[in-house]
Structures are given as structure tokens and as C-alpha cells.
């Protein structure tokens, strides 16, 4: 199931992309994808039931809508740096002994096809294709075998960085914070 956020005639909708169409979830009671995430299993069941026979007025040709970032204002964006060997080798950096965790702010998020605005003051922009995970149900001290209870879905992300800023200090957030530099694609969720 591909969850999307889209605009149609000036209105933003949470929706599901199905081949050449998109189904708005507004009439199912979901104003945005965060409300689906926060609704947990019951919300997901409601979405599945709604999709079995969506009303005609909730269905639009995909070509008639503008896709946005699936979650335009996520509550939190946490990232892991140097998390695979090839990238560390390419960057000529050692694999970290402790995970490098940094944050991106919500104003970095842009949708597919939107412009990435590089900072004028940076001379070393860079990008990485990333796989983003969307957490549905929060928690702490989660056992590895229980990950499915917490990961709602995944999406492709383009991690754009100002490497000259990022590598000038020990905290990477400085080079990751610029507005409009993190495009996100459709949020996918596997049926369980």
C-alpha cells in the first residue's frame, strides 16, 4: 500500500496511490497521514475497509494531482551517519564504533519534484539516496524481534548535505539543517 499526501485544486489530502489513481482519505476521517499513524492498527484497518469501495468523489486520476512529501511536517527526523561500508570508504572515513545519530528539522522536507534549495554559502553540496523508516507506534527498549510492531512503513529519501559545514564540526546537524533539502517519496506499507 502506497500512502501519499497530495494536492488537488488547492486542497491537501492524505491518500493511497493505486496504479493510475489516488484515493483521498478525507472522507474516511483522516486529515493527514499523521492521523493514520497515530490511529495505529484500528486506523489501518479503517483505511483497508475504506479502500474496498471508495466513493467516486474521493478518487482522482494520479495525473491530476501534485504529490507532496508523504509526511510534510514529521514530528521528528533522526538520521544515522556512515551506516554502511561503501559510503565510509568513499568518504575516506572509518566506520564508527558507536552509531552517529543526527537530526534534520521539519523545514528541510520537500516533496517529489520540488526544488532543492542549496545554501549559497556552501561550496560542497552532496546527496545520498536513503531508505527512510516511518515509526508508527513509539516505544523504548524494543526487542529486535518486535520491530514490526513499531515500523509503519518505509520511503525513499534524498539526503542533501552541505559537506563543508557538516565536516567542519563534530556534530553533523550543522550541515544537515538547511531548508528545503530533503525530498521524500511515497510512504509504502506492507500488508501484514
Amino acid at each position: 500500500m502506497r500512502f501519499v499526501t497530495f494536492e488537488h485544486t488547492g486542497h491537501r489530502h492524505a491518500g493511497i496511490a493505486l496504479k493510475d489513481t489516488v484515493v483521498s482519505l478525507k472522507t474516511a476521517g483522516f486529515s493527514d497521514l499523521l492521523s493514520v499513524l497515530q490511529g495505529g492498527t484500528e486506523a489501518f484497518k479503517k483505511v483497508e475497509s475504506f479502500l474496498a469501495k471508495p466513493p467516486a468523489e474521493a478518487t482522482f486520476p494520479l495525473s491530476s494531482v501534485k504529490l507532496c512529501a508523504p509526511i510534510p511536517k514529521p514530528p521528528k527526523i533522526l538520521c544515522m551517519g556512515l551506516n554502511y561500508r561503501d559510503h565510509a570508504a568513499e568518504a575516506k572515513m572509518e566506520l564508527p564504533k558507536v552509531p552517529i545519530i543526527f537530526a534534520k528539522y521539519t523545514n528541510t522536507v520537500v516533496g517529489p519534484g520540488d526544488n532543492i534549495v542549496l545554501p549559497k554559502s556552501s561550496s560542497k553540496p552532496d546527496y545520498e539516496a536513503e531508505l527512510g523508516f516511518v515509526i508508527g507506534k513509539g516505544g523504548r527498549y524494543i526487542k529486535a524481534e518486535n520491530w514490526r510492531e513499531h515500523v509503519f512503513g518505509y520511503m525513499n529519501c534524498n539526503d542533501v548535505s552541505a559537506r563543508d559545514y557538516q565536516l567542519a564540526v563534530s556534530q553533523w546537524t550543522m550541515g544537515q539543517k538547511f531548508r528545503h533539502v530533503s525530498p521524500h517519496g511515497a510512504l509504502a506499507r506492507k500488508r501484514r
Side-chain angles (χ1 to χ4, degrees):
M1 191 174 295
R2 292 185 310 149
F3 286 85
V4 296
T5 295
F6 67 94
E7 288 180 3
H8 185 264
T9 63
H11 300 282
R12 191 168 272 189
H13 302 254
I16 304 290
L18 304 167
K19 294 186 182 180
D20 297 335
T21 62
V22 65
V23 178
S24 171
L25 297 176
K26 271 192 181 177
T27 55
F30 300 104
S31 58
D32 57 26
L33 288 185
L34 281 178
S35 61
V36 176
L37 292 173
Q38 292 163 347
T41 304
E42 291 305 312
F44 188 68
K45 287 178 185 175
K46 187 175 179 182
V47 168
E48 284 187 311
S49 176
F50 181 75
L51 286 177
K53 191 167 179 171
E57 64 272 8
T59 304
F60 306 95
L62 191 55
S63 61
S64 73
V65 305
K66 178 190 183 308
L67 292 176
C68 305
I71 303 173
K73 298 235 182 266
K76 191 183 298 183
I77 305 169
L78 296 177
C79 307
M80 184 178 291
L82 291 176
N83 57 343
Y84 58 98
R85 275 184 212 285
D86 289 351
H87 180 52
E90 174 189 56
K92 296 179 178 70
M93 298 177 86
E94 288 185 38
L95 283 174
K97 291 177 177 48
V98 176
I100 296 172
I101 305 296
F102 60 94
K104 282 193 173 262
Y105 302 126
T106 59
N107 68 353
T108 66
V109 175
V110 295
D114 288 344
N115 290 329
I116 296 171
V117 181
L118 297 172
K120 289 180 186 180
S121 56
S122 175
S123 61
K124 293 187 179 179
D126 201 0
Y127 67 94
E128 299 171 73
E130 299 285 359
L131 179 62
F133 292 92
V134 176
I135 304 302
K137 175 184 172 188
R140 295 180 79 179
Y141 311 110
I142 299 164
K143 294 180 181 176
E145 62 268 18
N146 297 335
W147 70 269
R148 288 181 195 271
E149 296 172 21
H150 301 274
V151 175
F152 179 84
Y154 56 92
M155 70 175 95
N156 60 319
C157 301
N158 184 356
D159 180 18
V160 178
S161 305
R163 293 284 189 225
D164 43 354
Y165 279 82
Q166 176 186 342
L167 300 176
V169 295
S170 63
Q171 297 298 316
W172 288 9
T173 300
M174 186 169 169
Q176 303 282 341
K177 66 171 177 45
F178 296 98
R179 295 179 64 182
H180 306 123
V181 295
S182 295
H184 293 92
L187 169 57
R189 178 179 165 99
K190 287 193 139 201
R191 293 180 189 253
R192 296 183 189 166

